Amino acid sequence: YMRTVQASAFPIFCRRRKPEGKPQGEEQILLDQDAMSRTLPYLSVTLCKISPCHSMLAYTMDTTNTERYTGVVKDVESGKELCVIEDVVSLEFATDGRTILYTKPDENRRPSMVFRRSIIRQGAADDELVLADSDPAFFLDLGLTKDKEFVTINANSKVSSEVRLIRAADPWSAPILVQPRERGLEYFVEHLAGFLVIVTNSASLDYRLITTPVSS
């Protein structure tokens, strides 16, 4: 959850444990934007995500008012920065506790590339390009299915979409294409109990829901 303090426009992101039989535990501050803003000339945080293992926090921040964002991953217990990634648009944790995926923009600020990085190794030189999209109509974004089984690489234009999946527990594996892009075809993917749950406008005047086994 987030809260604010009086006379400050910057939120403070927090969490509480819920001990068994007790209403709530002690508050833990994850990211104090109010404190950060006092030492920076400008601050905008657009993304803030806790890792599936609950031990790391990833966020993106602009400190120059140029809409160029730096991605930061930190240990929530010690507050230590584990890695810093320059010029990112979106990012997503894998579930192995060691890997993060992120998108970077091209010269026109279009998110067009997906990379993965080992948080442990920390070096940008070890980052691996997963996907580069040369079509200027498509923008890349990352997500995680609600059951945390797959990282989704989503390519979206104004009229079409395309999704690739990577096993979240095996984030260095090759991405799997769900359906090649077609003009006018839009679809969005979730996962449940071995099935892909897809909302699509295929063969429909409106959107419809279909399922298919992951194995297919």
Side-chain angles (χ1 to χ4, degrees), residues 6 65 77 83 205:
Q6 191 173 3
N65 199 15
E77 295 297 334
C83 76
L205 294 176

Side-chain angles (χ1 to χ4, degrees), residues 122-139:
Q122 300 184 38
D126 295 323
D127 290 10
E128 181 178 280
L129 177 66
V130 179
L131 179 68
D133 197 315
S134 60
D135 190 332
F138 281 80
F139 293 69

